[in-house]
Amino acid sequence: MATLLHIDSSVFAVGTSSSRTVTEAFRRTWEEQHPGGTVIHRDLAAHPVPHISAPAHSAGFTDPSTHTPEQAAAFAERVRLIEELESADAVLVGAPMYNLTIPSTLKAWLDNVILVGRTAGEVQSLKGTPVTVVASRGGAYGPGSPREGYEYVQNYLSAIFKDFLGADLTFIVPELTMAPADPKMAELVPLFEASRERALDEAATTAKTLARRLAA
């Protein structure tokens, strides 16, 4: 049976976090369509992984037989995260925009699992794996918007997941999520609501399609 790796990075809970609300909808549909499957949930806000260290980084470029005890321990943590990722048949990532980019906890996770010669580079152990990213953001950063040039979440994650890791990447983008809380954005609330409903529909449709495909 198929395994879904579900990663959340929002510091807020479901109900106040747009990315978590959408990833939860995806996961719920996945479980309904694929009750015999496995879901691994990694909450990077509640349980952050170590930021990449010099021993962990250098160990990725040297023969394991030459590792110091410090390198061996740090590299073992990276391998554990990589193996968890490689075991997944599909990956779901909640990636809210914080100060124009992804949360530092998600960046730390990526720094650990990107390993040249295994997950990245000429050898890509995740090649073709479906990855769905819920890229929520408080404003509008799409093509044609005034802040288009500040869109660093999708651009960055597309380079990482598609180019570096070779994954089959899909984005779901709930926008204008600050509209209900910011009086200056009050007139944008209808657009936010439409974006939220569209994201929830896309999450359910994508999850259903993937669950059926992987269960076949």
Side-chain angles (χ1 to χ4, degrees):
M1 306 300 286
T3 296
L4 172 69
L5 175 59
H6 172 188
I7 296 170
D8 279 317
S9 60
S10 172
V11 298
F12 300 104
V14 173
T16 55
S17 164
S18 293
S19 66
R20 285 184 188 268
T21 298
V22 177
T23 60
E24 184 185 59
F26 183 109
R27 174 178 172 173
R28 183 169 58 248
T29 302
W30 170 280
E31 291 175 328
E32 290 170 355
Q33 295 294 318
H34 195 40
T38 299
V39 176
I40 301 170
H41 186 208
R42 179 170 286 279
D43 188 335
L44 296 174
H47 305 286
V49 303
H51 283 273
I52 200 76
S53 63
H57 180 76
S58 60
F61 295 94
T62 55
D63 187 334
S65 66
T66 68
H67 288 175
T68 65
E70 189 178 16
Q71 284 179 311
F75 192 61
E77 175 65 15
R78 290 188 68 186
V79 169
R80 184 173 70 86
L81 294 171
I82 289 169
E83 289 177 342
E84 180 179 77
L85 176 59
E86 290 174 335
S87 74
D89 298 288
V91 181
L92 171 65
V93 180
M97 178 185 281
Y98 291 168
N99 298 315
L100 303 181
T101 188
I102 62 174
S104 64
T105 51
L106 180 55
K107 178 62 164 60
W109 179 81
L110 288 169
D111 286 341
N112 276 280
V113 300
I114 296 170
L115 181 60
V116 175
R118 181 164 179 173
T119 61
E122 293 184 6
V123 177
Q124 296 173 317
S125 58
L126 302 174
K127 189 172 182 64
T129 299
V131 173
T132 304
V133 174
V134 178
S136 61
R137 49 211 195 186
Y141 295 81
S145 68
R147 294 192 174 186
E148 178 182 358
Y150 294 124
E151 202 302 294
Y152 300 116
V153 173
Q154 285 181 265
N155 286 339
Y156 171 68
L157 292 180
S158 180
I160 293 296
F161 283 115
K162 286 181 64 177
D163 301 338
F164 278 36
L165 303 182
D168 179 8
L169 180 62
T170 298
F171 281 108
I172 298 174
V173 186
E175 287 194 314
L176 301 167
T177 62
M178 289 298 296
D182 187 347
K184 295 178 182 178
M185 299 176 67
E187 64 181 16
L188 300 175
V189 168
L191 292 177
F192 153 71
E193 292 174 342
S195 177
R196 178 185 59 192
E197 291 307 309
R198 184 166 56 250
L200 291 171
D201 287 344
E202 290 177 3
T205 300
T206 304
K208 188 179 295 185
T209 300
L210 281 176
R212 288 176 175 173
R213 189 177 92 193
L214 295 173

